[in-house]
Amino acid sequence: MSTGVRGQWSSKLGFILAAAGSAIGLGNIWRFPYVTGENGGAAFVFVYLACVLVIGVPYMYAELALGRAVQKNPVGAIDRLRPNSSWILVGVLGVVTGLFILSYYAVIAGWTFGYIFKMVIPNWLTFGEFVSRPVLVIFLYTVFMLLTIFVVHGGIRGGIERWTTILMPVMFFLLLGLIVYVNFLPGSGKGLAFYLAPDFSKITGKVILSALGQAFFSLSLGMGLMVTYASYISKEDNLVSSGLFVALADTAIAIMAGLIIFPALFAMGQDPAAGPGLVFNVLPAVFEHMPGGTVVGVVFFVLLSIAALTSTISLLEVPTAYLVDNRGTARKVAVWIVGILVFLLGLPSALSQGAVSWLSQPIVGDMEFLSLMDFLFGNISLAVGALFLSIFVGWVWGATNASEELATGNPKFKKWAPLWSFLIRFICPASIFIILLNLFKFF
Ligand code: PFF
């Protein structure tokens, strides 16, 4: 078997930390809290949990089963099971989606990295000024891409696993420390109440769909990332418990991020409904007025940068694995090819926040270049990918084959297989289809 050449996680924990590292990212700490704030606080969290359990986790199992059964990237895996069929396009879509998500995600990750330094320089640039300085944003973006390339260059065990096993616990303890600190500030209790008191009247169809979309992005589903990461898992390991653990960790971190942000905002009398600008606009101002705020600010942006890095490496790994598996490229060469390509693709996003005026104008609706990339690849592509991958696993490769793979390493899964088959064949594709319809209504 080619696993020796392709690499393998050293243990079940190695996979869990790497996959949780992929899942936990800007989506959890930057996006989840403000989406929750806008959609009814605890009531949204409740809907989100249901989406993760009923659709996210069963779908994740489909990707995990496919990846470990065939031990290839998404293109290679589909090609092995249905050679020369158009299903391969679904794998190609996953690889392309990885390239494009990485291209704008690393731009935002670059800002978070730059904000570590911004926190120690009082009254330096506003957010608007910061993101519109071309040299600054491109420099930060380059640094972040180089860090990502460096980790993936080291391979599965010596790069991705090694760094995620160091970084994930560090991130977790920084997060815990901040939660404790912020919740001791006077006035923070009101933030907790806002965040955790459910307002079920706010639950509408649209809220449920945004919860489902958020669940897919946050769990890194829909582009074959879990197929790729599962291709490095040993046959003895338990996919079912590993996947569940990754989903729980991702959800727990998202909820914990809200436990920092809302208490901090309320303690400093700020508006929780600031939307996407919350983390970069409002929080730094909050930190400034807080006792020990500089340290808190630095810790927060270090934490966010780590979370982003463990996600960017996973995004780089999918196209890299494709070149390694399907084109026979050496990993170290593949990483640079993909890294440079992504870097070029991301330049317009980096310059679209004020640096270059025509890129910063709305292109479709009110979206400038970066937001458009996020809409096309972070929303539509992931949903389309997930729709076809669930059909591929449920109907083409077959839920029975997939269940057998899931039961390898966990014989107890056999009891759950009929329920899982039902979810993957009917519930997942139908609900993803509805998200898609809703996304297209946008136009
Ligand atoms: N899950 C990441 C986040 O929440 O920030 C983003 C992401 C990473 C999406 C990897 C998709 C992916 F394949």
Side-chain angles (χ1 to χ4, degrees), residues 41-312:
F44 176 83
V45 175
F46 185 78
V47 176
Y48 180 79
L49 284 176
C51 290
V52 167
L53 280 179
V54 180
I55 299 159
V57 172
Y59 172 79
M60 187 194 283
Y61 287 168
E63 286 204 14
L64 293 177
L66 178 62
R68 192 181 60 180
V70 185
Q71 310 199 348
K72 290 269 181 282
N73 69 86
V75 179
I78 294 174
D79 190 32
R80 168 76 65 83
L81 296 172
R82 287 291 175 278
N84 304 320
S85 70
S86 355
W87 284 103
I88 290 162
L89 292 177
V90 182
V92 174
L93 180 70
V95 171
V96 171
T97 305
L99 295 173
F100 277 94
I101 294 184
L102 180 54
S103 77
Y104 69 83
Y105 195 95
V107 169
I108 306 175
W111 304 341
T112 65
F113 187 66
Y115 259 62
I116 300 173
F117 304 96
K118 186 172 146 43
M119 288 299 103
V120 285
I121 312 174
N123 308 321
W124 190 33
L125 309 163
T126 63
F127 177 60
E129 290 162 355
F130 184 95
V131 292
S132 59
R133 296 239 165 147
V135 177
L136 179 64
V137 282
I138 290 183
F139 171 73
L140 293 169
Y141 171 52
T142 311
V143 170
F144 216 90
M145 280 304 298
L146 287 174
L147 283 173
T148 306
I149 291 173
F150 167 77
V151 173
V152 180
H153 198 261
I156 300 308
R157 217 177 270 191
I160 301 181
E161 178 171 341
R162 176 161 161 224
W163 285 100
T164 45
T165 358
I166 298 170
L167 292 172
M168 292 307 286
V170 172
M171 192 220 49
F172 184 73
F173 285 110
L174 294 180
L175 192 70
L176 270 189
L178 280 189
I179 292 179
V180 172
Y181 180 82
V182 160
N183 283 283
F184 273 109
L185 292 171
S188 58
K190 279 190 282 183
L192 271 191
F194 169 82
Y195 181 43
L196 297 179
D199 176 358
F200 285 103
S201 70
K202 286 204 178 152
I203 301 297
T204 57
K206 194 177 152 283
V207 169
I208 297 174
L209 291 176
S210 38
L212 199 52
Q214 170 68 14
F216 271 86
F217 185 81
S218 186
L219 293 169
S220 300
L221 299 178
M223 51 160 272
L225 179 273
M226 292 296 168
V227 176
T228 310
Y229 269 20
S231 73
Y232 308 122
I233 302 180
S234 117
K235 287 283 182 194
E236 282 88 60
D237 282 340
N238 184 334
L239 293 178
V240 178
S241 62
S242 301
L244 192 61
F245 194 83
V246 170
L248 290 178
D250 184 65
T251 308
I253 298 288
I255 293 176
M256 285 166 74
L259 294 179
I260 300 175
I261 290 171
F262 293 110
L265 289 175
F266 277 78
M268 297 293 135
Q270 294 277 347
D271 174 19
L278 196 66
V279 160
F280 293 104
N281 256 331
V282 185
L283 270 193
V286 167
F287 294 148
E288 238 167 62
H289 297 103
M290 202 180 255
T294 309
V295 180
V296 177
V298 168
V299 170
F300 179 79
F301 284 103
V302 168
L303 160 96
L304 195 53
S305 299
I306 294 178
L309 181 63
T310 53
S311 299
T312 53

Side-chain angles (χ1 to χ4, degrees), residues 291-362:
T294 309
V295 180
V296 177
V298 168
V299 170
F300 179 79
F301 284 103
V302 168
L303 160 96
L304 195 53
S305 299
I306 294 178
L309 181 63
T310 53
S311 299
T312 53
I313 59 185
S314 73
L315 288 161
L316 183 60
E317 177 57 25
V318 176
T320 300
Y322 162 73
L323 288 183
V324 172
D325 291 342
N326 289 47
R327 308 266 151 190
T329 318
R331 163 172 285 274
K332 292 191 184 333
V333 179
V335 170
W336 279 106
I337 296 177
V338 178
I340 291 170
L341 179 65
V342 167
F343 178 76
L344 297 175
L345 288 176
L347 288 176
S349 290
L351 298 172
S352 71
Q353 302 301 305
V356 171
S357 65
W358 62 272
L359 286 169
S360 314
Q361 307 293 328

